[in-house]
Amino acid sequence: LLICFLRDHGGWNNIRMAMETALVMAHAMGRTLVLPPEQRFYLLGKDKEKNHFDFGDFFHLDSIAIEHEGFNVITMDEFLDRMGKSGKLNDIRTGKPAIYSGSKTFDYLRKVGTNPQWDPMKCIAAFPSSVGSAAIHELEEIHHNIMSGKDGRPHPRYED
């Protein structure tokens, strides 16, 4: 299973924080992280020879993968070669294989991928601290205790 990270057009700090979140989520969910293609970063590389970057320029991804067992990362080119050009991805509207032609990458990704709407008032992301059914049961029990007020605390509010 894969998770694709496509950065926004904000400043470096926002992009960095989003990338760190994607790294953690991919590792926690046991998914391979697909990095965005090399592109220009807002306010970086102005008037310099190099003005397009990828995340390998800022994160030592090979070292992270060695230090954290189960963390896998591939480039967008690798992903498109393996999955898109071979027809292994389906158009989400038609259900039929969608072959990547080598152009309009972001249009293709919108065609074959989903970006679920996230409502923090209705859904949270939580990951067990270890593997196995006992860890999942523990997480479910913690959620139940929080939502039922079992520990005497009031029900959590978004504003807090």
Side-chain angles (χ1 to χ4, degrees):
L1 296 174
L2 303 161
I3 184 169
C4 290
F5 171 66
L6 299 176
R7 67 173 192 81
D8 64 22
H9 296 285
W12 166 244
N13 202 43
N14 288 346
I15 295 168
R16 179 194 54 79
M17 289 187 298
M19 176 63 174
E20 290 169 354
T21 300
L23 286 166
V24 170
M25 289 186 72
H27 186 257
M29 293 188 292
R31 293 177 180 244
T32 296
L33 179 64
V34 179
L35 298 173
E38 186 173 288
Q39 56 197 134
R40 190 178 184 310
F41 279 64
Y42 175 67
L43 295 179
L44 291 181
K46 286 181 130 185
D47 300 323
K48 294 183 181 174
E49 194 171 302
K50 180 171 174 128
N51 62 6
H52 283 68
F53 301 90
D54 64 28
F55 283 92
D57 293 318
F58 305 103
F59 291 89
H60 300 283
L61 297 169
D62 292 337
S63 297
I64 293 171
I66 291 168
E67 293 172 14
H68 299 280
E69 184 179 339
F71 175 71
N72 298 303
V73 62
I74 61 174
T75 66
M76 183 62 69
D77 287 339
E78 289 175 278
F79 168 70
L80 292 170
D81 285 343
R82 289 183 199 172
M83 305 297 288
K85 292 178 181 177
S86 64
K88 292 180 181 173
L89 300 174
N90 292 335
D91 184 312
I92 58 175
R93 290 175 274 314
T94 66
K96 295 180 180 175
I99 307 294
Y100 176 64
S101 66
S103 64
K104 298 187 179 182
T105 300
F106 296 106
D107 289 343
Y108 176 77
L109 293 173
R110 282 188 280 279
K111 187 177 186 179
V112 299
T114 59
N115 186 9
Q117 295 300 311
W118 190 285
D119 183 347
M121 297 302 291
K122 296 179 182 174
C123 183
I124 62 169
F127 304 100
S129 59
S130 60
V131 297
S133 59
I136 294 170
H137 176 72
E138 178 186 11
L139 197 59
E140 289 169 341
E141 187 176 337
I142 290 168
H143 177 261
H144 173 74
N145 291 344
I146 291 170
M147 298 310 286
S148 68
K150 185 175 182 176
D151 61 359
R153 290 186 285 181
H155 190 273
R157 297 178 323 152
Y158 181 70
E159 296 80 21
D160 294 338

